[in-house]
């Protein structure tokens, strides 16, 4: 077994080296990406179910790598979180999102916050300054946090969430249901919105368990007075499902893919016309 293990290790090694090299190269490029203006934001519509009205957009980060083309945030954000670059990148995202949204009619912009940004100092001060600089009313900013932000230093993070809330911004709990302590965080902080992870929405058609889970989260939200957004709604069938489950809002390809800032106005017109 030992000999085989060693053989397997030797076979595996070049692949691991290759992976490490590619990650290293990506990290190197990431360091210069802000200055080289390789980032931009796209915006995905969020719709209230009861009135079918567009209520806002989630800002999503895009990186156009000079030679590799678009790199998925799922690939580069973990790297940026590991080396701390997510702090300046996240600040750029927030400032750009607020400045962009300031020219929109009365709809919100939702911005994702990394747990690493909570550990850096001065998050609330930075949000205050981004709002002021953009001239965006705090009620039009929503901040999305995942439970991983609350995991490692829950007390300190909750304190910062209260500071953010005191500014007048809204706070959402993102990717709800995939972590193991989502429920306990609902008790620790009064979130304005729960976003139900798209892994549940995507399996509503074939999994009675998913239906039960989405229904339970929606009624939990209703009892707590918290909005529940179903993420990843792609089809009319899924839309009917989440409506029937009692979700109050949706986001997903069915209503719109993330679009560049220049197309936001047209998206608002189109969606409000239906
Ligand atoms: P997320 O916050 O859960 O964002 C939703 C993701 O689901 C986005 O992927 C969006 O494009 C995708 N999506 C929306 N509707 C549908 C649908 O109907 N079907 C499918 N298959 N996908 C849908 P994206 O833009 O690739 O972002 C992936 C993740 O990267 C985000 O997940 C978020 O965790 C992270 N991310 C993106 N932008 C930022 C950012 O500015 N800061 C931080 N910290 N994280 C970000
Ligand atoms: Ca999000
Ligand atoms: Ca999510
Ligand atoms: Ca996610």
């Amino acid at each position: 077994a030992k000999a085989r293990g060693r053989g397997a290790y030797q076979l595996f090694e070049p692949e691991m080296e290759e992976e490490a090299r590619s990650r290293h190269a990506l990290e190197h490029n990431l360091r210069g990406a802000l200055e080289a203006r390789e980032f931009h934001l796209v915006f995905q519509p969020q719709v209230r179910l009861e009135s079918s009205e567009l209520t806002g957009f989630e800002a999503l980060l895009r990186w156009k790598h000079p030679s590799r083309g678009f790199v998925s945030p799922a690939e580069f954000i973990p790297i940026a979180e590991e080396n701390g670059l997510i702090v300046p990148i996240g600040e750029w995202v927030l400032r750009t999102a607020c400045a962009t949204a300031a020219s929109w009619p009365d709809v919100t912009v939702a911005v994702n916050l990394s747990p690493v940004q909570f550990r850096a100092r001065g998050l609330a001060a930075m949000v205050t300054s981004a709002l002021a600089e953009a001239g965006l009313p705090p009620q039009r900013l929503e901040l999305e946090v995942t439970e991983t932000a609350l995991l490692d230093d829950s007390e300190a993070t909750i304190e910062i969430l209260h500071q953010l809330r005191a500014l007048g911004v809204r706070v959402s709990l993102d990717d709800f249901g995939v972590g193991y302590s989502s429920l306990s965080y609902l008790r620790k902080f009064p979130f304005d919105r729960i976003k139900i992870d798209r892994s549940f929405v995507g399996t509503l058609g074939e999994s009675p368990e998913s239906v039960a889970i989405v229904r339970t989260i929606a009624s939990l939200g209703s009892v707590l007075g918290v909005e529940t957004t179903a993420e990843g709604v792609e089809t009319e069938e899924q839309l009917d499902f989440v409506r029937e489950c009692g979700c109050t809002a949706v986001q997903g390809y069915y209503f719109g893919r993330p679009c560049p800032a220049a197309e936001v106005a047209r998206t608002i017109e189109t969606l409000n016309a239906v």
Side-chain angles (χ1 to χ4, degrees):
K2 231 176 182 171
R4 262 180 83 186
R6 233 183 114 186
Y9 177 74
Q10 281 170 347
L11 272 176
F12 196 54
E13 198 174 33
E15 250 176 56
M16 277 172 55
E17 250 176 45
E18 174 56 35
E19 205 175 294
R21 229 194 323 271
S22 142
R23 191 183 159 97
H24 192 77
L26 212 56
E27 173 170 7
H28 177 77
N29 294 130
L30 203 51
R31 291 198 180 273
L34 254 187
E35 218 168 293
R37 299 169 149 270
E38 289 164 3
F39 292 117
H40 70 276
L41 297 181
V42 289
F43 300 90
Q44 187 178 32
Q46 302 178 312
V47 173
R48 180 179 295 141
L49 270 178
E50 198 193 355
S51 53
S52 293
E53 121 200 65
L54 180 133
T55 56
F57 291 85
E58 178 175 2
L60 294 158
L61 184 59
R62 294 291 177 263
W63 178 26
K64 192 162 185 237
H65 185 279
S67 58
R68 285 184 48 180
F70 284 106
V71 183
S72 162
E75 191 176 350
F76 72 80
I77 284 178
I79 299 176
E81 286 179 329
E82 214 166 274
N83 63 19
L85 274 173
I86 193 68
V87 174
I89 294 174
E91 175 167 353
W92 179 86
V93 169
L94 188 79
R95 290 186 185 279
T96 307
C98 288
T100 307
S103 69
W104 298 347
D106 193 26
V107 295
T108 59
V109 66
V111 174
N112 293 287
L113 287 183
S114 158
V116 178
Q117 291 176 272
F118 281 86
R119 276 180 252 135
R121 285 166 148 264
L123 181 59
M126 194 270 282
V127 173
T128 308
S129 132
L131 288 166
E133 192 187 330
L136 186 73
Q139 303 81 322
R140 287 182 48 205
L141 176 64
E142 196 161 307
L143 297 171
E144 299 194 355
V145 301
T146 57
E147 70 162 57
T148 46
L150 300 140
L151 275 179
D152 37 37
D153 198 355
S154 167
E155 294 282 297
T157 304
I158 303 261
E159 167 64 29
I160 301 169
L161 287 177
H162 281 293
Q163 290 172 11
L164 293 169
R165 166 64 61 68
L167 300 176
V169 306
R170 300 181 217 193
V171 186
S172 304
L173 187 50
D174 202 354
D175 299 348
F176 191 83
V178 285
Y180 48 85
S181 357
S182 304
L183 272 178
S184 73
Y185 293 115
L186 287 181
R187 204 169 33 124
K188 295 189 178 160
F189 185 78
F191 289 93
D192 297 282
R193 182 188 300 280
I194 293 168
K195 298 188 76 179
I196 305 171
D197 193 74
R198 73 178 144 87
S199 57
F200 300 107
V201 176
T203 49
L204 283 173
E206 68 255 26
S207 157
E209 289 80 11
S210 291
V211 176
I213 291 167
V214 172
R215 189 167 283 152
T216 303
I217 300 173
S219 56
L220 186 65
S222 149
V223 170
L224 297 174
V226 178
E227 302 264 358
T228 41
T229 298
E231 291 194 280
V233 170
E234 295 182 358
T235 65
E236 186 156 13
E237 193 196 4
Q238 289 169 346
L239 179 66
D240 292 340
F241 256 124
V242 303
R243 198 196 298 271
E244 194 218 304
C245 287
C247 296
T248 62
V250 291
Q251 184 178 339
Y253 295 168
Y254 180 80
F255 281 109
R257 293 190 176 244
C259 69
E263 281 167 34
V264 162
R266 198 180 341 135
T267 305
I268 295 177
E269 268 177 42
T270 321
L271 281 175
N272 281 337
V274 278

